[in-house]
């Protein structure tokens, strides 16, 4: 790239944090990334990881007279820089220069330590002069590792006020110096590498901008140099919904408004210096927080755009090490200007207050400050109210240490009702006590104080209450709706979609997702009825979801993806006819309720059956399966009601196959077997290959489901197969042609039973210890014998219904009634 093309592109500022400059390898990687960048660039460097802590600790040892420890720290400082330089700087002359500089700086540091240990006094300005070398050496090192770059000491560029240890930059003066020193380098195509964190006051003394101050150096330089973008390279993927060290399932926030980020920073999320947003607020400069480790992910963009107003809660910030200072007294109501005088006193000590609380009774006012400053705060406020304390108007000023402030941050939050309530019910559920609450006047946060050791638990609970780990989390109120994801979208699925759309809206059941074998369609805010109908039509025309605006994915990936979203009371409904056991297990583990019309997952190996129910139990979810037996008839429901009311169901007998009922009742009335089977197929009662019904497989599965519900653990029944062995393997057409050869045999059977006042029925029987599926002869006048058509009949024999069983009968097949059975399960879940 020539200097001329570089000039035309927009300027960027890249800051590398301590973790990104941990050692020689990291520096080499940073240098390579810088060298590969195509446009004008200013780099800001923090000290190598841990070095600022080391220097501060050494200064502390020195002032306490522990020179041996201070010396040891100085040695470590020197050797770590040597090692990093030897590994990252390839040019020999440049390496020699850097090593000489490391040695010079370490010697100077030792001298400062000695001076401090003699004086036994450590002023903030001295400490700043001691710690500034961390950045000075890292920036030199990085510049030498890059090659086509130049070290720039911020002491020559960044002007600040004289608040040592936490200085504020002076923007206009810094602007003049930056233009003088940095602009010419840029126009020559050189990358300036500037020390972060440090600056110089007007009196010439060295200052630091407060811990984490390199973030501020970067935004400051972007402002004064007119950059378009600042990138902060860190050891996290970006700004997360909470500190991942405390809340492990914190999620990356892709976009955040300037003000929201400022709030997150202000409340102590270490990821951004508290004042880093000040130089760029009100500008169009974008700030990106990105992963040094994984530069392929885009990270967080902090912008001037307002994002996602529907999800007011964006993040939590947790500020540990706080003390609550309280001014209290019954006479306070009458005292003039308490708040103003309190904060004037605190301000006079240059203490920074994180949160202010005022009790509704007005008999106390409180604020939080850093624990280390609590005593000073108490002393200065007590002094300000000396007179009122003497006269008893104010009881006193006290500090409670060991506290943490947790701020719930998001734009427009304080104006959204229900947030505080949700925070507090989450805390209450965990038995956590809130010491104080402040609703920020900014409308961008609600903060509360808890005992520090409870802060991680509190943060996790509030994080979970707003579903912040999920995409679309952060809604103000807990949603009461039930979100349905459909597995399979055939006739039953469509009937269900219609019935859901026709539900009373107070039920708040929505379809949010559809899956077929090609992929899925998902909308967290609900798929409209019109869209569902359109999809149904297109599916009828043979198309697949992936080609209808859906996403191509396997079912497992699709479910996992949906579970990532802030869906509310999610239910997965299986209307396929496939072996979906593993998939449903995954869904239950991901927190979905499971509703089945599909029998296969419940009629497979008993181990997978138990696993599914076990998984649901551990995640507090339910598995419901009303539609697997008798379609919409309340079979499972009746069983549960009997048992819940103290009855014991001893056995269940049922004609549970519509096809078999149709065929057997028709031949009992004198029709040939072949004609009955043909009509069952033509009317769509039977499967396209009627042998699936005639084999008794399907009825057998239903029997097993009923038996398992009653506590049966044994093997599946071997159902009576109505297809003779020699016809089982024939192609379908050949089988249909052979049907009339069976007519005579069936006619004989029917006539024999008829003569004894009996008719043939296919009956499944289930008890807690047995299960069977048989062709049997029953009395003509019995309920089963009297039934015709596709009717299902299920009878319960229980302690209460011993002599005369409780019989449920009705249509047991068809899309509409099956969907009704499913809907019954969904509504039961949503009513919980
Ligand atoms: P740098 O290397 O740039 O100085 P920091 O170490 O100061 O970076 O900031 C990153 C650290 O901030 C992370 O390791 C993380 O533990 C902490 N952190 C606190 N709150 C958050 C948050 N909301 N998002 C991301 N990181 C956070
Ligand atoms: N090195 C300084 C610190 O550790 C500044 C920074 O990292 O931004 O606080
Ligand atoms: Mg930092």
């Amino acid at each position: 790239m020539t200097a001329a093309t570089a000039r035309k592109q927009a300027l960027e500022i890249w800051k590398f944090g301590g973790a990104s400059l941990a050692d020689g390898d990291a520096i080499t990687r940073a240098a390579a990334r810088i060298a590969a960048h195509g446009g004008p660039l200013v780099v800001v460097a923090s000290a190598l990881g841990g070095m600022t802590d080391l220097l501060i600790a050494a200064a502390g040892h020195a002032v306490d007279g522990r020179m041996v420890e201070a010396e040891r720290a100085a040695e470590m400082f020197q050797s770590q820089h040597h090692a990093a330089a030897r590994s990252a700087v390839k040019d020999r002359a440049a390496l020699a220069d850097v090593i000489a500089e490391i040695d010079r700086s370490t010697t100077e540091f030792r001298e400062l330590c000695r001076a401090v240990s003699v004086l036994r006094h450590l002023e903030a300005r001295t400490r700043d002069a001691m710690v500034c070398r961390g950045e000075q050496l890292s920036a030199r090192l990085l510049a030498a590792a890059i090659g086509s770059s130049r070290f720039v000491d911020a002491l020559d560029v960044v002007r600040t006020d004289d608040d040592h240890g936490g200085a504020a930059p002076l923007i206009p003066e810094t602007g003049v110096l930056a233009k003088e020193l940095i602009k010419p380098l840029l126009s020559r195509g050189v990358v300036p590498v500037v020390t972060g964190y440090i600056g110089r006051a007007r009196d010439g003394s060295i200052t630091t901008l407060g811990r984490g101050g390199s973030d501020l150096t970067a935004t400051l330089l972007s402002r004064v140099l007119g950059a378009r973008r600042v990138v902060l390279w860190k050891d996290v993927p970006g700004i997360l919904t909470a500190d991942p060290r405390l809340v492990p399932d914190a999620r990356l926030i892709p976009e955040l408004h300037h003000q929201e980020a400022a709030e997150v920073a202000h409340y102590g999320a270490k990821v951004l210096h508290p004042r880093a947003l000040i130089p760029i607020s009100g500008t169009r400069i974008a700030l990106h927080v990105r992963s040094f480790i994984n530069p392929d992910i885009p990270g967080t963009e902090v912008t001037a755009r307002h994002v996602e107003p529907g999800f007011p809660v964006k993040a939590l910030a947790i500020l540990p090490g706080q003390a609550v200072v309280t001014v209290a007294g019954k006479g306070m109501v009458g005292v003039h200007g308490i708040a103003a005088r309190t904060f004037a006193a605190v301000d006079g000590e240059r203490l920074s207050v994180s949160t202010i609380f005022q009790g509704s009774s007005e008999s106390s006012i409180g604020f939080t400050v850093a624990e280390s400053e609590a005593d000073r705060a108490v002393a200065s406020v007590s002094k300000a109210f000396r007179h009122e304390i003497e006269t008893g108007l104010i009881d006193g000023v006290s500090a409670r240490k060991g506290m943490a402030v947790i701020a719930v941050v998001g734009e427009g939050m304080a104006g959204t009702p229900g947030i505080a309530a949700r925070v507090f019910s989450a805390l209450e559920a965990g038995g956590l006590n809130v010491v104080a609450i402040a609703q920020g006047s900014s409308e961008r946060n609600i903060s509360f104080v808890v005992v520090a050791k409870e802060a991680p638990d509190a943060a996790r609970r509030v994080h979970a209450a707003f579903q912040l780990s999920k995409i679309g989390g952060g809604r103000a109120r807990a949603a009461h709706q039930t979100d349905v994801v459909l597995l399979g979208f055939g006739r039953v699925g469509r009937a269900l979609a219609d019935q859901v759309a026709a539900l009373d809206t107070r039920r708040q059941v929505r379809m949010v997702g559809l899956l077929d074998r090609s992929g899925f369609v998902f909308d967290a805010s609900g798929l409209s009825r019109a869209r569902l109908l359109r999809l149904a039509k297109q599916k009828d025309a043979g198309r697949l979801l992936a080609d209808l605006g859906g996403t191509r994915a396997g079912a497992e990936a699709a479910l996992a993806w949906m579970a990532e979203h802030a869906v509310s009371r999610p239910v997965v409904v299986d209307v396929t006819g496939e072996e979906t056991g593993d998939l449903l297990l995954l869904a239950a583990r991901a927190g979905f309720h499971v509703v089945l019309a599909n029998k296969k997952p419940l009629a497979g190996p008993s181990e997978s059956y138990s696993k599914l129910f076990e998984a649901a139990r551990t995640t507090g979810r339910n598995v419901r399966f009303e539609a697997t037996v008798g379609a919409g008839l309340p079979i499972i429901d009746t069983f549960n009601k009997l048992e819940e009311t103290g009855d014991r169901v001893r056995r269940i007998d049922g004609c549970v196959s519509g096809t078999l009922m149709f065929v057997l009742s028709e031949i009992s009335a004198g029709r040939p077997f072949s004609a009955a089977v043909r009509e069952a197929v033509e009317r769509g009662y039977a499967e396209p290959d009627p042998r699936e019904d005639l084999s008794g497989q399907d009825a057998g599965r239903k029997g097993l489901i009923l038996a398992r519900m009653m506590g049966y653990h044994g093997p599946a029944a071997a159902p009576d197969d109505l297809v003779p062995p020699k016809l089982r393997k024939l192609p379908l057409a050949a089988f249909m042609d052979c049907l009339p050869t069976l007519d005579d045999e069936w006619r004989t059977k029917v006539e024999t039973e008829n003569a004894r006042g009996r008719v043939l029925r296919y009956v499944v029987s289930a008890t807690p210890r047995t299960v069977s599926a048989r062709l049997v002869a029953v009395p003509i006048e019995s309920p089963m014998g009297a039934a015709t058509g596709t009717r299902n009949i299920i009878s319960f024999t229980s302690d209460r219904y011993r002599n005369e069983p409780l019989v449920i009968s009705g249509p047991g097949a068809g899309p509409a009634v099956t969907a009704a059975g499913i809907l019954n399960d969904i509504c039961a879940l949503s009513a919980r």
Side-chain angles (χ1 to χ4, degrees), residues 779-793:
I780 293 179
E781 69 280 6
S782 69
M784 283 179 186
T788 55
T790 57
R791 186 158 286 264
N792 275 199
I793 291 196

Side-chain angles (χ1 to χ4, degrees), residues 562-648:
M562 291 180 196
E564 282 276 285
H565 287 70
V567 281
S568 140
R569 276 195 255 219
V571 182
V572 59
V573 174
D574 182 355
V575 290
T576 68
E578 278 145 48
E579 297 291 355
T580 49
D582 290 343
L583 191 59
L584 297 182
L585 188 61
L586 188 114
R589 287 190 178 141
F592 283 88
H593 292 291
V594 176
V595 170
L596 300 103
N598 180 12
K599 294 169 278 287
K600 288 192 180 148
L602 298 184
S606 91
E607 192 185 302
S608 1
Y609 180 89
S610 322
K611 258 197 197 157
L612 177 61
F613 282 83
E614 186 53 39
R617 216 178 354 263
T618 35
T619 50
R621 297 303 189 266
N622 271 280
V623 180
R624 300 185 69 102
F625 48 95
E626 184 63 89
T628 56
V629 183
L633 297 178
I635 310 298
I636 318 290
D637 204 35
T638 302
F639 171 82
N640 288 332
K641 288 209 170 105
L642 290 174
E643 296 267 322
E644 274 163 23
T645 54
D647 199 358
R648 272 300 298 278

Side-chain angles (χ1 to χ4, degrees), residues 382-402:
S382 303
K383 201 163 134 209
F385 290 114
R386 200 176 37 220
H387 178 67
E388 285 80 359
I389 293 172
E390 272 165 17
T391 57
L393 282 173
I394 286 177
D395 297 339
V397 182
S398 60
R400 199 172 156 196
K401 295 183 186 172

Side-chain angles (χ1 to χ4, degrees), residues 726-742:
K726 60 180 192 304
L727 303 188
R728 287 180 196 159
K729 295 250 150 39
L730 286 183
L732 177 57
F735 169 72
M736 293 306 278
D737 289 343
C738 285
L739 274 175
T741 63
L742 304 174

